[in-house]
PDB file of all heavy atoms in Angstrom:
ATOM      1  N   PRO A 400      10.144  24.472  -6.546  1.00  0.00           N
ATOM      2  CA  PRO A 400      10.185  25.311  -5.348  1.00  0.00           C
ATOM      3  C   PRO A 400       9.109  24.999  -4.317  1.00  0.00           C
ATOM      4  O   PRO A 400       9.392  24.939  -3.116  1.00  0.00           O
ATOM      5  CB  PRO A 400      10.045  26.712  -5.927  1.00  0.00           C
ATOM      6  CG  PRO A 400      10.675  26.617  -7.292  1.00  0.00           C
ATOM      7  CD  PRO A 400      10.257  25.256  -7.787  1.00  0.00           C
ATOM      8  N   GLN A 401       7.877  24.778  -4.781  1.00  0.00           N
ATOM      9  CA  GLN A 401       6.784  24.483  -3.817  1.00  0.00           C
ATOM     10  C   GLN A 401       7.010  23.153  -3.130  1.00  0.00           C
ATOM     11  O   GLN A 401       6.651  22.980  -1.953  1.00  0.00           O
ATOM     12  CB  GLN A 401       5.427  24.532  -4.500  1.00  0.00           C
ATOM     13  CG  GLN A 401       5.240  23.556  -5.671  1.00  0.00           C
ATOM     14  CD  GLN A 401       5.550  24.183  -7.016  1.00  0.00           C
ATOM     15  OE1 GLN A 401       6.500  24.936  -7.138  1.00  0.00           O
ATOM     16  NE2 GLN A 401       4.733  23.869  -8.014  1.00  0.00           N
ATOM     17  N   ASP A 402       7.593  22.172  -3.848  1.00  0.00           N
ATOM     18  CA  ASP A 402       7.884  20.873  -3.245  1.00  0.00           C
ATOM     19  C   ASP A 402       8.913  21.020  -2.141  1.00  0.00           C
ATOM     20  O   ASP A 402       8.789  20.437  -1.054  1.00  0.00           O
ATOM     21  CB  ASP A 402       8.428  19.896  -4.296  1.00  0.00           C
ATOM     22  CG  ASP A 402       7.444  19.561  -5.380  1.00  0.00           C
ATOM     23  OD1 ASP A 402       6.224  19.520  -5.079  1.00  0.00           O
ATOM     24  OD2 ASP A 402       7.876  19.318  -6.521  1.00  0.00           O
ATOM     25  N   LEU A 403       9.960  21.775  -2.424  1.00  0.00           N
ATOM     26  CA  LEU A 403      11.049  21.935  -1.471  1.00  0.00           C
ATOM     27  C   LEU A 403      10.630  22.704  -0.220  1.00  0.00           C
ATOM     28  O   LEU A 403      10.985  22.336   0.899  1.00  0.00           O
ATOM     29  CB  LEU A 403      12.240  22.642  -2.141  1.00  0.00           C
ATOM     30  CG  LEU A 403      12.876  21.866  -3.320  1.00  0.00           C
ATOM     31  CD1 LEU A 403      13.917  22.710  -4.021  1.00  0.00           C
ATOM     32  CD2 LEU A 403      13.469  20.538  -2.838  1.00  0.00           C
ATOM     33  N   ARG A 404       9.825  23.738  -0.446  1.00  0.00           N
ATOM     34  CA  ARG A 404       9.316  24.472   0.730  1.00  0.00           C
ATOM     35  C   ARG A 404       8.461  23.578   1.614  1.00  0.00           C
ATOM     36  O   ARG A 404       8.574  23.602   2.867  1.00  0.00           O
ATOM     37  CB  ARG A 404       8.526  25.714   0.275  1.00  0.00           C
ATOM     38  CG  ARG A 404       9.407  26.875  -0.212  1.00  0.00           C
ATOM     39  CD  ARG A 404       8.609  28.125  -0.405  1.00  0.00           C
ATOM     40  NE  ARG A 404       7.729  28.059  -1.555  1.00  0.00           N
ATOM     41  CZ  ARG A 404       8.062  28.457  -2.773  1.00  0.00           C
ATOM     42  NH1 ARG A 404       9.258  28.986  -3.005  1.00  0.00           N
ATOM     43  NH2 ARG A 404       7.206  28.357  -3.782  1.00  0.00           N
ATOM     44  N   LYS A 405       7.621  22.745   0.999  1.00  0.00           N
ATOM     45  CA  LYS A 405       6.772  21.818   1.753  1.00  0.00           C
ATOM     46  C   LYS A 405       7.653  20.831   2.522  1.00  0.00           C
ATOM     47  O   LYS A 405       7.390  20.573   3.711  1.00  0.00           O
ATOM     48  CB  LYS A 405       5.858  21.077   0.772  1.00  0.00           C
ATOM     49  CG  LYS A 405       4.913  20.080   1.449  1.00  0.00           C
ATOM     50  CD  LYS A 405       3.944  19.498   0.432  1.00  0.00           C
ATOM     51  CE  LYS A 405       2.923  18.591   1.048  1.00  0.00           C
ATOM     52  NZ  LYS A 405       3.505  17.301   1.495  1.00  0.00           N
ATOM     53  N   GLN A 406       8.688  20.289   1.895  1.00  0.00           N
ATOM     54  CA  GLN A 406       9.535  19.307   2.571  1.00  0.00           C
ATOM     55  C   GLN A 406      10.307  19.933   3.757  1.00  0.00           C
ATOM     56  O   GLN A 406      10.469  19.302   4.788  1.00  0.00           O
ATOM     57  CB  GLN A 406      10.532  18.703   1.570  1.00  0.00           C
ATOM     58  CG  GLN A 406       9.865  17.807   0.539  1.00  0.00           C
ATOM     59  CD  GLN A 406      10.849  17.446  -0.573  1.00  0.00           C
ATOM     60  OE1 GLN A 406      11.836  16.766  -0.348  1.00  0.00           O
ATOM     61  NE2 GLN A 406      10.562  17.928  -1.770  1.00  0.00           N
ATOM     62  N   VAL A 407      10.767  21.152   3.578  1.00  0.00           N
ATOM     63  CA  VAL A 407      11.460  21.833   4.665  1.00  0.00           C
ATOM     64  C   VAL A 407      10.526  22.010   5.871  1.00  0.00           C
ATOM     65  O   VAL A 407      10.895  21.715   7.012  1.00  0.00           O
ATOM     66  CB  VAL A 407      12.038  23.180   4.203  1.00  0.00           C
ATOM     67  CG1 VAL A 407      12.442  24.026   5.407  1.00  0.00           C
ATOM     68  CG2 VAL A 407      13.238  22.953   3.312  1.00  0.00           C
ATOM     69  N   HIS A 408       9.292  22.432   5.600  1.00  0.00           N
ATOM     70  CA  HIS A 408       8.344  22.640   6.693  1.00  0.00           C
ATOM     71  C   HIS A 408       7.953  21.304   7.316  1.00  0.00           C
ATOM     72  O   HIS A 408       7.722  21.218   8.548  1.00  0.00           O
ATOM     73  CB  HIS A 408       7.137  23.412   6.220  1.00  0.00           C
ATOM     74  CG  HIS A 408       7.374  24.900   6.090  1.00  0.00           C
ATOM     75  ND1 HIS A 408       7.366  25.753   7.183  1.00  0.00           N
ATOM     76  CD2 HIS A 408       7.671  25.676   5.009  1.00  0.00           C
ATOM     77  CE1 HIS A 408       7.608  26.978   6.786  1.00  0.00           C
ATOM     78  NE2 HIS A 408       7.823  26.967   5.475  1.00  0.00           N
ATOM     79  N   GLU A 409       7.866  20.240   6.523  1.00  0.00           N
ATOM     80  CA  GLU A 409       7.580  18.923   7.090  1.00  0.00           C
ATOM     81  C   GLU A 409       8.704  18.456   8.019  1.00  0.00           C
ATOM     82  O   GLU A 409       8.434  17.865   9.076  1.00  0.00           O
ATOM     83  CB  GLU A 409       7.374  17.923   5.950  1.00  0.00           C
ATOM     84  CG  GLU A 409       6.066  18.066   5.209  1.00  0.00           C
ATOM     85  CD  GLU A 409       5.979  17.189   3.973  1.00  0.00           C
ATOM     86  OE1 GLU A 409       7.047  16.822   3.409  1.00  0.00           O
ATOM     87  OE2 GLU A 409       4.857  16.931   3.522  1.00  0.00           O
ATOM     88  N   ASN A 410       9.940  18.705   7.598  1.00  0.00           N
ATOM     89  CA  ASN A 410      11.070  18.351   8.461  1.00  0.00           C
ATOM     90  C   ASN A 410      11.069  19.160   9.756  1.00  0.00           C
ATOM     91  O   ASN A 410      11.294  18.627  10.846  1.00  0.00           O
ATOM     92  CB  ASN A 410      12.390  18.558   7.718  1.00  0.00           C
ATOM     93  CG  ASN A 410      12.780  17.381   6.862  1.00  0.00           C
ATOM     94  OD1 ASN A 410      13.224  16.351   7.357  1.00  0.00           O
ATOM     95  ND2 ASN A 410      12.616  17.527   5.542  1.00  0.00           N
ATOM     96  N   LEU A 411      10.785  20.453   9.662  1.00  0.00           N
ATOM     97  CA  LEU A 411      10.731  21.302  10.849  1.00  0.00           C
ATOM     98  C   LEU A 411       9.687  20.794  11.832  1.00  0.00           C
ATOM     99  O   LEU A 411       9.949  20.662  13.032  1.00  0.00           O
ATOM    100  CB  LEU A 411      10.399  22.746  10.455  1.00  0.00           C
ATOM    101  CG  LEU A 411      11.483  23.543   9.734  1.00  0.00           C
ATOM    102  CD1 LEU A 411      10.865  24.776   9.085  1.00  0.00           C
ATOM    103  CD2 LEU A 411      12.589  23.948  10.712  1.00  0.00           C
ATOM    104  N   GLU A 412       8.502  20.476  11.324  1.00  0.00           N
ATOM    105  CA  GLU A 412       7.392  20.077  12.180  1.00  0.00           C
ATOM    106  C   GLU A 412       7.641  18.704  12.794  1.00  0.00           C
ATOM    107  O   GLU A 412       7.427  18.515  14.010  1.00  0.00           O
ATOM    108  CB  GLU A 412       6.094  20.094  11.359  1.00  0.00           C
ATOM    109  CG  GLU A 412       4.828  19.891  12.187  1.00  0.00           C
ATOM    110  CD  GLU A 412       4.507  18.428  12.388  1.00  0.00           C
ATOM    111  OE1 GLU A 412       4.828  17.616  11.504  1.00  0.00           O
ATOM    112  OE2 GLU A 412       3.909  18.094  13.437  1.00  0.00           O
ATOM    113  N   SER A 413       8.094  17.770  11.997  1.00  0.00           N
ATOM    114  CA  SER A 413       8.258  16.403  12.508  1.00  0.00           C
ATOM    115  C   SER A 413       9.434  16.269  13.465  1.00  0.00           C
ATOM    116  O   SER A 413       9.416  15.450  14.400  1.00  0.00           O
ATOM    117  CB  SER A 413       8.410  15.406  11.367  1.00  0.00           C
ATOM    118  OG  SER A 413       9.464  15.762  10.497  1.00  0.00           O
ATOM    119  N   LEU A 414      10.467  17.076  13.285  1.00  0.00           N
ATOM    120  CA  LEU A 414      11.605  17.055  14.188  1.00  0.00           C
ATOM    121  C   LEU A 414      11.372  17.951  15.422  1.00  0.00           C
ATOM    122  O   LEU A 414      12.064  17.824  16.420  1.00  0.00           O
ATOM    123  CB  LEU A 414      12.882  17.512  13.476  1.00  0.00           C
ATOM    124  CG  LEU A 414      13.486  16.520  12.486  1.00  0.00           C
ATOM    125  CD1 LEU A 414      14.579  17.185  11.648  1.00  0.00           C
ATOM    126  CD2 LEU A 414      14.042  15.295  13.199  1.00  0.00           C
ATOM    127  N   GLY A 415      10.425  18.863  15.318  1.00  0.00           N
ATOM    128  CA  GLY A 415      10.118  19.730  16.426  1.00  0.00           C
ATOM    129  C   GLY A 415      11.157  20.815  16.658  1.00  0.00           C
ATOM    130  O   GLY A 415      11.546  21.085  17.795  1.00  0.00           O
ATOM    131  N   VAL A 416      11.613  21.417  15.584  1.00  0.00           N
ATOM    132  CA  VAL A 416      12.624  22.485  15.688  1.00  0.00           C
ATOM    133  C   VAL A 416      12.159  23.727  14.904  1.00  0.00           C
ATOM    134  O   VAL A 416      11.284  23.632  14.050  1.00  0.00           O
ATOM    135  CB  VAL A 416      14.001  22.035  15.132  1.00  0.00           C
ATOM    136  CG1 VAL A 416      14.556  20.892  15.968  1.00  0.00           C
ATOM    137  CG2 VAL A 416      13.884  21.596  13.666  1.00  0.00           C
ATOM    138  N   GLU A 417      12.742  24.869  15.247  1.00  0.00           N
ATOM    139  CA  GLU A 417      12.407  26.123  14.552  1.00  0.00           C
ATOM    140  C   GLU A 417      13.305  26.383  13.358  1.00  0.00           C
ATOM    141  O   GLU A 417      12.965  27.139  12.460  1.00  0.00           O
ATOM    142  CB  GLU A 417      12.491  27.281  15.538  1.00  0.00           C
ATOM    143  CG  GLU A 417      11.447  27.212  16.636  1.00  0.00           C
ATOM    144  CD  GLU A 417      11.518  28.408  17.572  1.00  0.00           C
ATOM    145  OE1 GLU A 417      12.437  29.244  17.392  1.00  0.00           O
ATOM    146  OE2 GLU A 417      10.651  28.529  18.456  1.00  0.00           O
TER     147      GLU A 417
END
Side-chain angles (χ1 to χ4, degrees):
Q401 59 266 40
D402 296 328
L403 298 173
R404 284 191 288 269
K405 181 174 184 288
Q406 291 169 66
V407 165
H408 282 280
E409 286 171 337
N410 275 286
L411 288 164
E412 189 273 329
S413 55
L414 287 169
V416 296
E417 294 182 355

